[in-house]
Amino acid sequence: VLLIAAASLLLLREAARRREAQDALRRSQELNRLVLDRLPNAAVVVFDHDLRYLLAGGDSLARTGLSPEMLEGRTVQEALPSLAAQLQPKYRAALAGEESVLDVHYGGRVFVTRAVPIRRPEGTVVAGMVLGMDVTEARENEALILRLNQDLEHSVSELTQANQELEAFSYS
């Protein structure tokens, strides 16, 4: 009876430790998901060697009409068929240990994306990650500034010509 009681006590302690570890893991996963989903002006995806999305998040996903549920568990070909030909070489390069940068146009948005390998401490590539920064408004602002500069240069040119004509008239 004493042996059974001791064994029961050990099992109860082990079960309590396991519950604590599971609770800690759940809290950690919740925190990671909260951070990932609230990455400002960005989208992040993690993919495996089969180019299957393991994790997706960032507040810019919703702006493109995507969600983590639409990506996670699917390959790039399944989830984003219109972009697969453009993305797959970059993803494979990341899995081969190379980093690359690429502009991606999707859902009416423009993303500057950086594909990088995810390595274990010993250097083995276990997955790839893409961080996409939404630069749509910045690119629109750049285009507006360029157009305004061109308009200004045109106005300066017209003003210079008018001044030259005025000088010629006043001289005569």
Side-chain angles (χ1 to χ4, degrees), residues 39 41-45 102 111-116 129-133:
L39 280 175
N41 207 35
V44 175
V45 294
L102 174 71
F111 292 88
V112 173
T113 63
R114 184 172 180 196
V116 298
M129 178 177 69
V130 174
L131 171 63
M133 297 300 296

Side-chain angles (χ1 to χ4, degrees), residues 46-60:
V46 175
F47 53 91
D48 64 13
H49 288 277
D50 296 325
L51 304 186
R52 185 172 306 282
Y53 292 115
L54 304 173
L55 191 62
D59 74 355
S60 291

Side-chain angles (χ1 to χ4, degrees), residues 105-124:
H105 299 261
Y106 186 79
R109 312 297 296 174
V110 180
F111 292 88
V112 173
T113 63
R114 184 172 180 196
V116 298
I118 298 176
R119 300 177 188 273
R120 285 198 169 108
E122 71 274 3
T124 307

Side-chain angles (χ1 to χ4, degrees), residues 3 13 39 50 58 74 76-78 84-85 92 125 134 157:
L3 186 58
R13 283 185 185 167
L39 280 175
D50 296 325
R74 293 183 173 84
V76 64
Q77 183 66 43
E78 295 166 344
R92 291 190 199 293
V125 175
D134 188 345
S157 175

Side-chain angles (χ1 to χ4, degrees), residues 103-165:
D103 279 5
V104 174
H105 299 261
Y106 186 79
R109 312 297 296 174
V110 180
F111 292 88
V112 173
T113 63
R114 184 172 180 196
V116 298
I118 298 176
R119 300 177 188 273
R120 285 198 169 108
E122 71 274 3
T124 307
V125 175
V126 293
M129 178 177 69
V130 174
L131 171 63
M133 297 300 296
D134 188 345
V135 295
T136 307
E137 285 82 16
R139 295 278 172 92
E140 290 170 353
N141 291 338
E142 287 174 9
L144 177 62
I145 289 169
L146 285 174
R147 194 170 62 250
L148 290 173
N149 280 339
Q150 290 171 348
D151 291 348
L152 184 59
E153 287 174 7
H154 181 69
S155 297
V156 166
S157 175
E158 288 178 348
L159 195 57
T160 302
Q161 184 179 356
N163 277 341
Q164 289 172 349
E165 290 173 4

